[in-house]
Amino acid sequence: LGGDFFAPENAFNEKMTVWRKKPAKKNVVLEYVPRRHDCSRQMWRDFASLCAHAENDCPPGVVSWLSAIRRKHIIDTRKICLKITSARYGDKDFFIDDVFSDSILFNADILSELGEIWIGRIIAEVNYTEKLVWQLGKLAVDIAKAGGDSDGENKKRIAYERIYYQLDEPFRKWLSGINPQNDNQDDVCAIWRQEASRIVERNGEAMVAECGQKAFIGRELEEKDKGKVVKRQYIAPQAFNRFLYNIKSVN
């Protein structure tokens, strides 16, 4: 049996869940529903949902409570570990396919008044990282087209999995090392950007090195662009040069 059910909208008596906004409708009050964790996403990529502090955002109740008692100096712990445990449900949510967990460690002062600006900066660095990864995925698709591979989307998926695996430990180490009391935000964020761009660029180089002769020769394709058919040339070295330019332009 599924048991008894209650409306999931704004069920804030539940303190142990991450929330997401329901798509807004005209003349309807903003509503939140529980957000299911995607087992393919590292927890730090959803830092904005965990520690959201902007207007109309709703962090988990346990995070709000930790923030409140930290601000009142009731706890003096230096580090906080947030852990998420989630289930992947099967057909119609009648059974569980898998159970998984993840965690992130960071300085407790990030949840205090001192850390309010830091939260925004950390979210900005997560977004910056996502943009870098998107450029790597685009490179994977362009190289696939250059080599005559029709499975570019699968190549992009594989590239995403590999790069996030390589970014995972460095980002966690960077996040846990932030000290809001002593660190300069610009310097700390610049360190991460240098590290992230280096890892992504290195992956792009490996992708080109493994692409094969066909992709180096390249080919011309006819593609639709805004309703018009245009001819585009896809050559691996050109795609890589464009990739380098694009990742240096990300901000």
Side-chain angles (χ1 to χ4, degrees):
L1 295 177
D4 293 331
F5 293 86
F6 57 90
E9 292 81 8
N10 296 340
F12 297 132
N13 280 345
E14 170 55 71
K15 304 298 183 183
M16 304 286 286
T17 190
V18 177
W19 302 94
R20 66 175 177 85
K21 299 175 186 176
K22 286 187 70 175
K25 296 181 180 178
K26 190 175 181 180
N27 299 324
V28 175
V29 178
L30 179 64
E31 292 181 330
Y32 292 87
V33 293
R35 176 178 178 176
R36 293 186 180 182
H37 185 63
D38 181 355
C39 63
S40 67
R41 287 178 63 89
Q42 292 87 350
M43 188 175 172
W44 55 265
R45 293 168 61 189
D46 292 319
F47 188 85
S49 298
L50 292 164
C51 299
H53 66 302
E55 186 179 359
N56 292 329
D57 280 335
C58 182
V62 289
V63 176
S64 297
W65 176 243
L66 282 169
S67 177
I69 60 179
R70 179 63 180 175
R71 289 168 186 243
K72 294 181 180 180
H73 307 290
I74 296 174
I75 58 171
D76 58 2
T77 180
R78 293 184 179 181
K79 293 289 180 73
I80 286 177
C81 180
L82 295 182
K83 183 173 183 178
I84 188 168
T85 302
S86 187
R88 184 174 65 199
Y89 294 94
D91 184 46
K92 298 180 181 178
D93 291 354
F94 283 164
F95 58 90
I96 293 176
D97 273 342
D98 196 9
V99 176
F100 49 90
S101 63
D102 196 359
S103 62
I104 53 173
L105 181 72
F106 56 88
N107 193 296
D109 283 333
I110 288 176
L111 295 181
S112 69
E113 295 95 333
L114 182 65
E116 284 187 357
I117 298 177
W118 272 102
I119 290 177
R121 293 299 295 266
I122 293 169
I123 293 172
E125 296 315 306
V126 172
N127 292 337
Y128 169 82
T129 306
E130 297 272 0
K131 292 176 182 177
L132 287 181
V133 172
W134 187 89
Q135 292 295 342
L136 186 68
K138 188 174 184 302
L139 175 63
V141 172
D142 288 349
I143 290 176
K145 290 180 178 180
D149 190 340
S150 60
D151 199 13
E153 288 301 314
N154 187 51
K155 292 291 190 297
K156 179 169 70 173
R157 179 187 60 79
I158 294 172
Y160 282 173
E161 290 176 356
R162 182 166 61 181
I163 190 60
Y164 276 123
Y165 176 79
Q166 293 182 27
L167 288 166
D168 185 52
E169 184 177 348
F171 187 91
R172 293 175 190 273
K173 183 178 180 180
W174 173 78
L175 177 62
S176 66
I178 293 175
N179 184 344
Q181 291 192 21
N182 300 324
D183 290 344
N184 178 278
Q185 291 180 11
D186 292 336
D187 292 344
V188 169
C189 291
I191 289 172
W192 170 247
R193 294 199 173 202
Q194 291 172 4
E195 175 76 356
S197 60
R198 182 185 63 81
I199 294 172
V200 171
E201 181 177 334
R202 187 178 62 200
N203 268 261
E205 290 175 351
M207 204 178 289
V208 174
E210 299 166 359
C211 70
Q213 187 176 358
K214 285 185 178 180
F216 269 84
I217 296 172
R219 61 181 183 145
E220 187 177 75
L221 295 177
E222 290 186 349
E223 297 179 331
K224 286 187 176 181
D225 185 4
K226 298 179 181 179
K228 297 181 180 180
V229 176
V230 296
K231 291 183 178 180
R232 290 196 175 101
Q233 193 78 21
Y234 288 95
I235 304 172
Q238 288 184 1
F240 181 66
N241 287 336
R242 187 164 54 247
F243 161 75
L244 290 178
Y245 173 81
N246 289 338
I247 63 172
K248 287 177 172 56
S249 301
V250 170
N251 54 39

